[in-house]
Amino acid sequence: MRILLAEDDPILGDGLRAGLRQLGFQVDWVRDGLAAERELSTDAYAAAVLDLGLPLKDGMEVLKSLRTQKLSTPVLVLTARDAVPDRILGLDQGADDYVIKPVDLHELGARLRALVRRAHGQPLDTLQVGDVELCPATREVRQAGVLVTLATREFDLLHALMLNAGRVMSREQIEQHLYSWGHEVESNAVEVHVHHLRRKLRADLIQTVRGIGYTLPKD
Ligand code: CA
């Protein structure tokens, strides 16, 4: 899943981006509040990690503006250990969760996964559609209990379709979910991933909706 990281500290930002990538997130990193606001307005992100002390526009102002625009992207705020009033204000302004600096990467990853899950109305940490089970934390997929090995993008695509089971995702939405900035996306990349998933799982698992995109029907 693709997330936006807004952090102006170059060392912390670089470390978080690298760490979150290792956990399987696609990460776009911005270093000021205006860029964060602009990118989040495109609505291409599963979630955002937002530092509050940002140049050009304060993180709290970014949050307020997002919620005023009715953008519901889950936002996790980074706060200092002693900044309790900031945390309370952040939650009141529409933050969904917070993590205290210094950041524990695995906690951050787990909280992000939980936020995205809840935003899609999924109560359990393992997604299930028919006999296919997907665990975002371990990045394991099982069909009828048997482990299926998927490439990174194949996993990410299946994850997106399962989170949105019963809804149609356009090719553009899928591309936005799969690729962070700086990736050359081949025009038929999504088709190729779908083809592989159908071969590795079941031919009829993912349905093509002509001229629109793809859907994974709920059982
Ligand atoms: Ca800062």
Side-chain angles (χ1 to χ4, degrees):
M1 70 182 81
R2 184 171 169 203
I3 62 159
L4 187 81
L5 167 66
E7 170 59 65
D8 61 317
D9 182 308
I11 294 170
L12 179 58
D14 196 44
L16 287 176
R17 179 174 59 173
L20 286 169
R21 279 183 177 166
Q22 275 195 338
L23 293 179
F25 294 92
Q26 303 295 324
V27 184
D28 290 336
W29 176 23
V30 294
R31 294 157 182 80
D32 68 71
L34 283 181
E37 187 179 12
R38 186 181 62 236
E39 295 309 326
L40 285 171
S41 302
T42 66
D43 214 10
Y45 295 96
V49 177
L50 182 68
D51 180 35
L52 290 182
L54 287 173
L56 301 184
K57 189 160 191 167
D58 184 72
M60 207 72 86
E61 292 299 315
V62 174
L63 193 54
K64 213 170 10 176
S65 142
L66 284 181
R67 297 314 183 215
T68 307
Q69 294 174 61
K70 304 267 183 270
L71 285 164
S72 57
T73 310
V75 174
L76 188 149
V77 159
L78 299 178
T79 69
R81 181 164 299 279
D82 49 1
V84 178
D86 271 3
R87 262 174 258 159
I88 295 169
L89 186 59
L91 292 170
D92 279 343
Q93 297 287 7
D96 299 274
D97 203 356
Y98 60 85
V99 158
I100 295 167
K101 295 183 188 181
V103 177
D104 178 306
L105 193 66
H106 290 278
E107 181 190 356
L108 178 62
R111 285 179 182 272
L112 280 171
R113 285 192 295 270
L115 282 186
V116 172
R117 207 172 70 210
R118 287 204 299 268
H120 287 85
Q122 304 277 358
L124 304 174
D125 62 348
T126 296
L127 304 177
Q128 182 160 17
V129 174
D131 63 353
V132 177
E133 284 177 287
L134 178 146
C135 178
T138 60
R139 295 183 68 85
E140 284 179 353
V141 172
R142 285 186 161 75
Q143 183 166 36
V146 179
L147 199 61
V148 181
T149 305
L150 299 182
T152 301
R153 306 283 185 212
E154 293 163 10
F155 178 92
D156 290 344
L157 170 57
L158 183 64
H159 188 192
L161 289 170
M162 286 180 83
L163 278 172
N164 294 288
R167 289 191 286 268
V168 179
M169 291 187 81
S170 69
R171 201 174 73 181
E172 192 193 10
Q173 283 174 320
I174 293 172
E175 281 175 359
Q176 285 183 342
H177 184 92
L178 296 187
Y179 297 96
S180 52
W181 296 335
H183 286 277
E184 259 330 300
V185 186
E186 301 278 339
S187 62
N188 66 342
V190 172
E191 282 85 345
V192 171
H193 298 319
V194 168
H195 174 76
H196 288 159
L197 281 177
R198 284 175 174 153
R199 212 188 54 212
K200 290 183 180 181
L201 295 161
R202 263 204 325 272
D204 63 348
L205 183 70
I206 299 167
Q207 294 182 359
T208 303
V209 183
R210 292 249 169 264
I212 304 176
Y214 297 95
T215 186
L216 199 151
K218 272 190 186 163
D219 26 12

